[in-house]
Structures are given as structure tokens and as C-alpha cells.
Amino acid sequence: MLSSAQIAQLELQLNKLFDQCQVVTAAVVATIDGHFCAQKQRANTYSLERLATMGSTLMSLGDTITAELKMGGCDNVISENREGIVVFMHVGRDLVLVTLTTQKNALGMLLSHTRRCVEELTKTL
Amino acid sequence: MSNEIKLVFTGSAGAGKTSAIAAISEIPVINTDVRATDLTTLQHKSKTTVAMDYGELTLDDGQKLRLYGTPGQQRFDYMWRILIKGALGLIILVDNSGTDPIGDLARYLDNFRGFINETSAVIGVTRMDISAEPNLQCYYDYLGERSIQLPVFPVDARSRESIVMLIQALIAMLEYGN
């Protein structure tokens, strides 16, 4: 499990993500086995503890599918929906970052800022 | 009965679901095991299933079994609901060396109650060689208190013979009724 200093780092980076990318509605970090670590959302809309666990499931399925197809590691899983987009990304070997937006045309923004956040998290943890 | 049967293995984390499917599958098992990070899970094993296991087994009469394993922890209960869809039978594995095996059984009976009422299930108790108590009679007494009639077998999740016996019991129940 993460130390309180590491969780503070996660929260700092999520704050930065929200400052830099206005389309992000919510973000959550989980361990690879589905334990909630940190979250941020613009309004208190979602139960992000469940999303954290689902993030680990989705990334694991992504890894399993790409291994089956011999496509290398899974970088991210994208869920495009009628009322928004959800992006799942690995953070190093042990964490998963899930971000979401309710704007249907913001996939590029969401992906690029989520990727930048992952890079920052990987550097700092 | 269809020539293809979907069976689901569920039960507490570390009870042997992944091992059981690996013991009998005739294809390389598809699993979604990741490193465990919590001490409770790490007491039993270094990896844990976060989505599902999948294997296949063809019986002597040509019936193909599609075998799915669920994650054990309650936080993954959404996967339980996904994986049970279309299943014909349920195998509940209980780790007898855990802190509260009867409580573990109760949790899975409660979560899968609707499914068990409609179809059928068998219970396999693992690690009885490590912890002999509760004994099988304790399980039957508990099931009796709840007016549930399901067979309980001591099993070794790593043993093909043991798991095939469990599956044969379940298929017999499905074919001939409980």
C-alpha cells in the first residue's frame, strides 16, 4: 500500500491535472489490484471508490487482450459513451489512473492531459 | 442439455479458484492475475484475480465446459454479476484455513442466492489438510439452518481428479435435478 507522502503526491498531481485541463470531470488513482488511493472531482457526482476497483479490472483485461494478440503492453483503455468518455491508464507497474469527461468531443484533450499526468506521477512516485 | 455448459467458480480470495481451473483446463488458462498489495491477500498469495479466469474442458461424452473464475474479494462484486450471466452451475470454493470459513460461505450464498435458487451449485472446501475444523458436518449444519440443500466436498484445488469430481457432481445435479 502507498505511504501518506505518496498519496499526498498523487493528490498534488491530480490537482495539477484539474488546473491544466478544464474538461476533466473526475479522476481517481487505484492500485493495480483495485484499492482506492486518491481522487478528485469537480462536483461530488460519482462514487469513485467503485470506479477505482473497476479501473484495475479494465486495465488487467486490456493487458490480457494485448498479451493474447501479442501486441505488447496495454497503454490505455478508452470507453467512449453517449454522455462522456472514460480513460484508463497504467501508472508504472503498480497503479492505475482513471479520468473522465462529460464532454463527448474532448477525447484528445483528455488523453493528452491524462498521459502527461501519468508521466508526472511516474517521475514523482 | 446443450453441448456447451458455462460453469462459474467463485469463493473467497485464496480458496483456489485459479488453481482449480488451471488443474483441469485443456487450453492455456486466460487469467487476469496482478500483484496483490494488501496484507490480507498477501498472507495467502502474491497475486490476485481482478477480472476473471477462463479455461475449457471437454468431457468424455463430448460436452464442452466453459469455466469462468471470479475475483474473490467483495469489491469486485460487479464482476460476479457479469460472469454469472448465462451460467448453468456454480462452484463455491471455501478456504477452510481462513479466519471464518462458514462466514465466507454465507457471503457467497447470499450474493448468488437468486442464481442458486434457479439452477444449482456445489461447495468445495479446500485446505482441510491444514485446518480440519470446521468439519463437513459443520457446513451441513449451517446449510440445514438456512434450509439449503447443496453437496459439500473436501477438495484439493490443485488436483485434477478432485476438481473433476466436483464438476461431475454439479453436472449430475443439473441433469437430474437437485
Side-chain angles (χ1 to χ4, degrees), chain B residues 93-171:
Chain B
L93 295 182
V94 181
D95 177 2
N96 215 46
S97 69
T99 51
D100 182 15
I102 299 284
D104 288 342
L105 173 61
R107 191 151 48 93
Y108 294 96
L109 289 174
D110 289 341
N111 276 284
F112 290 96
R113 183 172 43 201
F115 178 84
I116 293 169
N117 288 342
E118 284 177 16
T119 62
S120 202
V122 292
I123 298 162
V125 183
T126 62
R127 297 202 176 93
M128 291 198 88
D129 54 330
I130 295 171
S131 174
E133 298 295 331
N135 59 31
L136 289 190
Q137 190 56 48
C138 295
Y139 285 95
Y140 280 117
D141 289 346
Y142 174 73
L143 292 170
E145 285 167 18
R146 295 186 54 163
S147 303
I148 295 171
Q149 288 188 317
L150 295 177
V152 185
F153 299 93
V155 294
D156 178 347
R158 301 158 301 180
S159 156
R160 177 184 170 84
E161 188 183 347
S162 197
I163 301 304
V164 167
M165 179 264 298
L166 204 55
I167 286 176
Q168 284 173 337
L170 178 58
I171 289 175

Side-chain angles (χ1 to χ4, degrees), chain A residues 68-122:
Chain A
E68 183 79 11
L69 299 173
K70 298 183 173 56
M71 287 184 171
C74 176
D75 290 332
N76 48 256
V77 176
I78 299 165
S79 167
E80 290 191 81
N81 316 294
R82 287 184 191 164
E83 296 186 17
I85 304 165
V86 190
V87 169
F88 304 81
M89 279 191 196
H90 279 299
V91 182
R93 294 174 67 231
D94 296 324
L95 298 174
V96 173
L97 171 63
V98 186
T99 57
L100 62 100
T101 178
T102 51
Q103 295 185 27
K104 284 181 65 181
N105 57 353
L107 176 60
M109 286 280 282
L110 187 66
L111 265 178
S112 76
H113 284 278
T114 303
R115 197 160 287 148
R116 189 185 301 173
C117 184
V118 163
E119 287 167 5
E120 290 298 319
L121 285 168
T122 310

